[in-house]
Amino acid sequence: MKVKDIGEQGLLRILQQFCPAEIVGDDCAVMTTNSNQSLAITTDMLVDGVHFSDRTTGPYYAGWRAAAANLSDLAAMGAKPLAVTVALAVAADTAVEWVEEFYRGMTACLQEYHTPIVGGDVVRSPVVTVAITAFGQVERDDCTIRRSNARSGWAIVATGVHGASRAGLELLLNPEFGQTLTEVDRASLILAHQRPKPRLDVLPVVWEILDSAGEFSIAGMDSSDGLADAIIQICLASGVGAKVDRTKIPIPDIFSEIVSTEKALDWALYGGEDFELVLFLPMANAQLLVEKIGNGAAIVGIATESTDIWLSDSNGIDRDTVLKLDQGFQHF
């Protein structure tokens, strides 16, 4: 049997057998360091030709995206970034200027969140590969956002629009696409792909709302692998189902001018790399959160007792369909 026969999710299930069950399964590992705080740790690997290429990102933006991916994982756990380490594998004939630009991009993203690069490793490789480990701090154990905490009846919140990064990638790959776009709209979609923003800004609002409610009830992860993937992963970890309303999914307004309704929905659900947060929490808290953060945030559905995960249409136009993991990007 080959890795391609079991796919990415099958491989992950095998690898997780070698890790403590109480540690793995979320966007970060969270380890208690004392009675009041926990350390969140995440590692992301990026490979030239798979995660980035000079055709679509260039070294500066590849570096930015690499840093943003790790910071987004910390945000998904409710952790404040502390530092990162970077392991870099390059060929001997790699241009020094490429490496410098990559690190400039990483640093530009990290500096926005006061996060230093504190070490790493450099090795020779025929393919440029970068592995970043990020460390974050969770102030209290009950502030940790886990995938397994969702409950039936909770609202599902997307913290911003989805599909913009996928549209930006399409513009970079196919210059003929989106000819009716203004230069401002075109640049906005491309930046959504090249310079995604990890939603660490959402966390203070979440803590304020939950503190006021007197109960830290929340589940979540980021949507780097797509909105559908995030919803499904949380449901699987929590043993709940979901009913997602396709009419409530926040999609860039400009999509109506460049793609069909179905394509827009597909990019929002499965395009990935939007780096928004997907949060399950009690309805009253969810409504307050959406109101406070705005900018495309929306309640897109509700968790259910049944473990089925449905995409529905509150307008009654399209029939219900089942959301599946295999419709998004898979490495194998």
Side-chain angles (χ1 to χ4, degrees):
M1 184 167 59
K2 309 292 186 183
V3 171
K4 65 181 180 181
D5 299 321
I6 62 175
E8 180 179 351
Q9 297 302 318
L11 181 60
L12 287 173
R13 284 192 290 271
I14 290 175
L15 299 179
Q16 286 173 353
Q17 297 174 34
F18 297 92
C19 304
E22 70 276 11
I23 295 293
V24 299
D26 287 297
D27 289 83
C28 299
V30 177
M31 305 179 69
T32 301
T33 53
N34 58 50
S35 59
N36 298 317
Q37 297 175 330
S38 297
L39 182 67
I41 309 167
T42 181
T43 297
D44 257 7
M45 184 176 292
L46 298 98
V47 179
D48 188 13
V50 178
H51 300 95
F52 61 89
S53 73
D54 286 341
R55 182 182 175 190
T56 59
T57 46
Y60 181 92
Y61 291 120
W64 178 288
R65 283 163 48 81
N70 282 267
L71 294 180
S72 183
D73 281 341
L74 293 178
M77 300 298 297
K80 177 184 178 181
L82 295 175
V84 304
T85 59
V86 183
L88 174 69
V90 293
D93 61 356
T94 300
V96 173
E97 292 79 11
W98 191 99
V99 177
E100 289 178 328
E101 276 300 289
F102 187 91
Y103 272 71
R104 286 191 185 102
M106 276 196 298
T107 302
C109 180
L110 293 169
Q111 283 181 338
E112 289 198 14
Y113 305 96
H114 311 289
T115 307
I117 299 173
V118 296
D121 192 17
V122 177
V123 299
R124 184 176 62 188
S125 168
V127 179
V128 176
T129 305
V130 184
I132 301 178
T133 298
F135 303 88
Q137 183 171 288
V138 182
E139 291 299 328
R140 304 199 314 257
D141 187 58
D142 61 357
C143 289
T144 304
I145 301 174
R146 299 189 182 277
R147 300 180 188 182
S148 57
N149 289 344
R151 301 292 179 265
S152 174
W154 284 10
I156 305 171
V157 172
T159 60
V161 296
H162 280 73
S165 177
R166 178 62 183 83
L169 177 61
E170 191 70 22
L171 288 167
L172 290 164
L173 292 174
N174 303 302
E176 299 302 312
F177 172 72
Q179 298 255 337
T180 60
L181 288 173
T182 66
E183 285 304 312
V184 171
D185 287 334
R186 177 179 289 269
S188 175
L189 292 174
I190 288 174
L191 279 179
H193 180 72
Q194 293 181 331
R195 291 187 58 172
K197 296 281 190 177
R199 296 308 307 269
L200 289 158
D201 61 297
V202 171
L203 298 182
V205 183
V206 170
W207 305 146
E208 178 187 353
I209 291 171
L210 296 184
D211 269 331
S212 297
E215 181 181 2
F216 278 69
S217 300
I218 191 169
M221 62 178 288
D222 78 352
S223 62
S224 56
D225 289 327
L227 177 60
D229 176 90
I231 293 172
I232 294 168
Q233 297 282 12
I234 295 168
C235 286
L236 290 175
S238 298
V240 298
K243 189 171 184 180
V244 181
D245 188 343
R246 59 189 291 155
T247 69
K248 305 298 184 184
I249 295 174
I251 296 172
D253 293 336
I254 197 65
F255 273 21
S256 62
E257 298 181 21
I258 56 175
V259 292
S260 67
T261 301
E262 286 306 310
K263 177 64 73 175
L265 181 66
D266 180 72
W267 283 358
L269 287 172
Y270 302 109
E273 299 187 323
D274 289 298
F275 294 108
E276 294 291 341
L277 298 183
V278 178
L279 304 172
F280 287 49
L281 62 170
M283 182 61 74
N285 294 341
Q287 291 170 334
L288 190 55
L289 177 62
V290 167
E291 178 185 327
K292 283 181 173 291
I293 63 176
N295 294 322
I299 295 174
V300 299
I302 190 167
T304 62
E305 289 187 8
S306 166
T307 55
D308 295 327
I309 304 168
W310 291 97
L311 179 67
S312 64
D313 182 354
S314 59
N315 291 334
I317 298 174
D318 294 285
R319 64 183 180 84
D320 290 357
T321 56
V322 176
L323 291 179
K324 298 180 180 179
L325 280 176
D326 59 8
Q327 291 175 262
F329 175 79
Q330 300 289 316
H331 281 281
F332 307 104

